[in-house]
Amino acid sequence: MKAVCIIASPGAVFDGDVIFMCPKKFGSNIAIYCMAPNSGHCTKAGLQIYVNDGSGSSWPKKAKPKIIALWFWHMVILRKSHIYLTGALK
């Protein structure tokens, strides 16, 4: 099973970050957040995960046009299986 894994430094804050994943292409819809060994707490403030398989059924009800446009550009035009966008919701 594949998973998106983010290794964070001590005290890292995921603020406005977004992960797009296509389960059909990527083979999974799991995201794993790891802290560096022997580090402090890793907070996940503002992190949001959007998973969309192309049917549109898994979009949040209040998805903003900016987020939909970013998903369309990366997942449809560039044909990515997954992408992590830093600060996309700011």
Side-chain angles (χ1 to χ4, degrees):
M1 179 186 293
K2 299 177 184 177
V4 172
C5 183
I6 301 166
I7 307 295
S9 61
V13 177
F14 301 97
D15 187 12
D17 296 1
V18 176
I19 297 174
F20 297 120
M21 290 185 279
C22 180
K24 290 180 181 176
K25 291 184 199 173
F26 188 56
S28 179
N29 59 0
I30 297 173
I32 300 173
Y33 309 95
C34 303
M35 291 186 298
N38 302 320
S39 66
H41 295 288
C42 179
T43 61
K44 292 177 280 199
L47 181 72
Q48 297 194 22
I49 300 172
Y50 292 93
V51 180
N52 195 296
D53 60 4
S55 66
S57 61
S58 56
W59 279 106
K61 292 181 181 179
K62 295 183 178 180
K64 295 181 179 179
K66 173 185 172 183
I67 297 299
I68 295 171
L70 287 170
W71 174 84
F72 185 80
W73 175 253
H74 288 94
M75 305 300 283
V76 177
I77 304 296
L78 299 180
R79 302 184 61 152
K80 301 287 184 181
S81 62
H82 62 284
I83 187 88
Y84 179 79
L85 301 174
T86 304
L89 296 177
K90 287 187 172 183

